[in-house]
Amino acid sequence: ARAEEAALRERVAALEPRKRQNRRAKRWEHVHSPEAAAFAELAQHPSIAAAAKALLGPKHYLEKCGLVVSHPGATAQRWHMDTPHLFACREHLPPHSLSVFVPLCDLRPANGPTEFHLASHIKANLVRPPSRAAACCPAGSCVLYDPRVMHRGGANESEGERALVYLTLSRVWYRDTLNP
């Protein structure tokens, strides 16, 4: 896994992003093209491809990809969903997208791993007190979540940057127009 993570880090570092977006003080998103081989091949990793097929069906695509870098001193993000619930109905609907990230460093409490409000992707749970979990894991791990779940990047109180590669896989009929 360490060799795969190192290879991914090298391949991503060699790419020039389409744009850089400031996500908060000391937190940057490097937006890349979904056609870039490093990201397209990661989306086809057997574990990711199997999860995407199971959750989104056989007709899905790599909609977005890039790198999020949290530098030392970055404060925690506000709680947010990447995409909202699409339809005004009471029933819980299956996901229209799947968010995936692969950390390029070990995620520890000190460097601000992503924190989740568990089960908040279900509308009925949004009014309940949140149960929280942080995605602390080794570099090269794969974290998948429904983009409707409430989450945030934690504060980076470490001496090093926290970088993670992200992918957004979506059903073929869906386009995220809120976060182009």
Side-chain angles (χ1 to χ4, degrees), residues 22-28 69-77 108-113 153-162:
N22 187 309
R23 289 294 181 196
R24 203 169 178 81
K26 301 183 181 184
R27 188 181 308 269
W28 288 87
V69 182
S70 172
H71 296 278
T75 58
Q77 289 180 299
R108 308 173 321 279
N111 65 2
N156 187 348
E157 298 168 347
S158 74
E159 299 295 318
E161 70 177 28
R162 178 193 49 84

Side-chain angles (χ1 to χ4, degrees), residues 69-127:
V69 182
S70 172
H71 296 278
T75 58
Q77 289 180 299
R78 63 175 176 71
W79 289 98
H80 65 279
M81 295 177 183
D82 288 339
T83 59
H85 294 273
L86 297 182
F87 306 106
C89 62
R90 291 178 189 249
E91 299 82 32
H92 176 68
L93 298 175
H96 50 278
S97 291
L98 179 63
S99 294
V100 178
F101 69 75
V102 177
L104 299 179
C105 63
D106 294 341
L107 297 183
R108 308 173 321 279
N111 65 2
T114 303
E115 301 171 283
F116 297 97
H117 281 180
L118 302 178
S120 60
H121 63 294
I122 299 170
K123 283 184 193 179
N125 292 340
L126 290 172
V127 296

